[in-house]
Amino acid sequence: MYVVAEKDIAGLMTPEAAFEAIEAVFASMARRQAYNFPVVREAIGHADALYGFKGGFDGAGLALGLKAGGYWPHNQERGLINHQSTVFLFDPDSGRVSAAVGGNLLTALRTAAASAVSIKYLAPKGAKVLGMIGAGHQSAFQMRAAARVHPFEKVIGWNPHPEMLGRLSDTAAELGLPFEAVELERLGEEADVIISITSSFGPLLMDDHVKGPTHIAAMGTDTKGKQELDPGLVARARLFTDEIAQSVSIGEYQHAVAQGLITQDRIGELGAVVTGDDAGRGDAEVTIFDGTGVGLQDLAVAAKVVELAKQKGIAQQVEV
Ligand code: NAD
């Protein structure tokens, strides 16, 4: 099997390669050539950790495997990052393990790529202003990936912890874009595209904040109980997601469904927009992409990184 170390991923994987891998796997999911396995996520009763697996099989890209990992809240005290994961790939013809790949940077890149795919296909025509809700680790990745697929002219941002906003202004400066910190009311009114990426357990962006044609990539909600959007806003938008089953159970749409404001048949797959089977934005004023994060995304970027590591001769080969 091949081993690609976490430290080597930054030199191998590019946001462009991540974008292509995620766009392709969303299309495979919509064509029913790829499917995700049920997610396992457990509080293990040790070190306050949450641990689990996300896996799947992509019959088009021939990627079989899983990402194992989770969240260790005390890691920072030991100089490690709190989110830890590793992707394992298997040969779909023989079942033999074929690769182990560091999953931390890949998770950030694949999550950013997902919102970027949604922006490419769903942003309102002539969108100029990008609104960022959230200023944590992921926010910089999301902003860079968004700027790569659309020529934004300005970034505005809000975060529940204002002391973290420096990350957004630094990232905008790196992209050569002006940045302004604003209240949520102004963000909803002025932004043409909004990315939310927080750990919120209650609605932040309200229905009456959002004015005019807008696309919202809701990326923070990946667990039961988390929430970033007002269910009333969800109810009036045209809805898309990576995987419908996840969006109504652990994604942003869980709340609007629970309140009886929407039913599952209102939700489309972003992959079907990529393949052209869904018209996408159409005449909708507001579109939402609920990016819940699926195992197939992890497999897609991991398979790409193994290919790149082999090409560059830096994949270590070991016998198991
Ligand atoms: P982080 O810990 O670096 O940043 C957390 C962000 O959430 C900050 O903006 C912080 O101000 C805000 N926040 C913290 N507690 C909050 C609360 N109680 N209410 C409202 N906001 C709060 O985390 P990150 O790595 O930037 O990830 C952000 C979120 O995205 C997390 O919830 C994470 O689980 C989620 N995530 C989703 C995917 C996906 O595929 N959908 C992938 C990776 C991360």
Side-chain angles (χ1 to χ4, degrees):
M1 68 182 284
Y2 290 99
V3 175
V4 185
E6 183 68 46
K7 68 174 173 47
D8 291 329
I9 306 281
L12 288 168
M13 197 64 179
T14 60
E16 291 77 10
F19 181 92
E20 281 168 23
I22 297 308
E23 189 180 42
V25 81
F26 282 166
S28 294
M29 284 166 63
R31 292 192 189 105
R32 305 290 174 256
Q33 293 168 321
Y35 70 107
N36 293 290
F37 305 154
V39 175
V40 172
R41 198 163 164 89
E42 296 284 324
I44 58 172
H46 180 81
D48 298 320
L50 280 175
Y51 175 71
F53 320 113
K54 278 184 171 184
F57 176 50
D58 178 355
L62 290 183
L64 172 68
L66 58 92
K67 178 169 81 172
Y71 187 71
W72 273 258
H74 309 302
N75 269 3
Q76 234 155 20
E77 297 150 25
R78 293 187 285 153
L80 297 170
I81 63 169
N82 292 349
H83 288 275
Q84 289 292 333
S85 63
T86 309
V87 183
F88 296 91
L89 298 174
F90 295 81
D91 178 350
D93 294 317
S94 67
R96 295 194 70 202
V97 63
S98 59
V101 184
N104 297 345
L105 178 59
L106 285 184
T107 300
L109 290 170
R110 65 83 148 139
T111 306
S115 60
V117 172
S118 85
I119 292 166
K120 173 178 167 185
Y121 289 93
L122 297 171
K125 226 172 171 214
K128 291 186 170 61
V129 179
L130 173 65
M132 296 292 310
I133 300 176
H137 175 71
Q138 257 316 125
S139 64
F141 290 89
Q142 308 295 139
M143 193 198 298
R144 287 188 200 113
R148 214 185 60 74
V149 292
H150 190 90
F152 291 106
E153 294 175 5
K154 181 180 180 180
V155 182
I156 56 180
W158 178 87
N159 193 56
H161 306 101
E163 67 279 7
M164 294 170 77
L165 283 166
R167 180 180 268 120
L168 296 183
S169 55
D170 289 352
T171 310
E174 166 198 314
L175 296 166
L177 291 169
F179 174 79
E180 194 180 349
V182 297
E183 290 307 315
L184 276 171
E185 289 78 0
R186 239 190 90 191
L187 188 139
E189 193 172 334
E190 288 182 23
D192 306 302
V193 171
I194 298 171
I195 300 174
S196 61
I197 183 80
T198 71
S199 309
S200 179
F201 279 83
L204 301 171
L205 188 67
M206 305 308 289
D207 189 12
D208 61 5
H209 291 159
V210 177
K211 308 263 194 296
T214 309
H215 172 60
I216 302 165
M219 304 303 295
T221 301
D222 54 2
T223 306
K224 203 166 173 54
K226 278 191 186 173
Q227 183 178 17
E228 298 184 299
L229 306 181
D230 178 357
L233 175 60
V234 171
R236 83 163 156 108
R238 187 160 290 171
L239 306 177
F240 299 91
T241 188
D242 41 23
E243 190 181 85
I244 294 171
Q246 265 194 202
S247 75
V248 299
S249 54
I250 59 169
E252 191 60 44
Y253 301 152
Q254 61 181 292
H255 305 285
V257 169
Q259 291 177 23
L261 295 174
I262 61 163
T263 48
Q264 221 166 286
D265 56 8
R266 282 265 320 270
I267 308 169
E269 289 171 286
L270 182 58
V273 184
V274 173
T275 60
D277 294 313
D278 184 314
R281 160 163 288 276
D283 60 358
E285 179 162 78
V286 177
T287 52
I288 300 176
F289 169 64
D290 180 6
T292 64
V294 294
L296 283 169
Q297 287 174 257
D298 299 303
L299 305 189
V301 287
K304 184 69 197 174
V305 108
V306 172
E307 184 191 315
L308 294 168
K310 282 188 197 166
Q311 276 170 16
K312 293 203 172 175
I314 61 162
Q316 306 157 51
Q317 211 167 2
V318 294
E319 196 71 39
V320 283

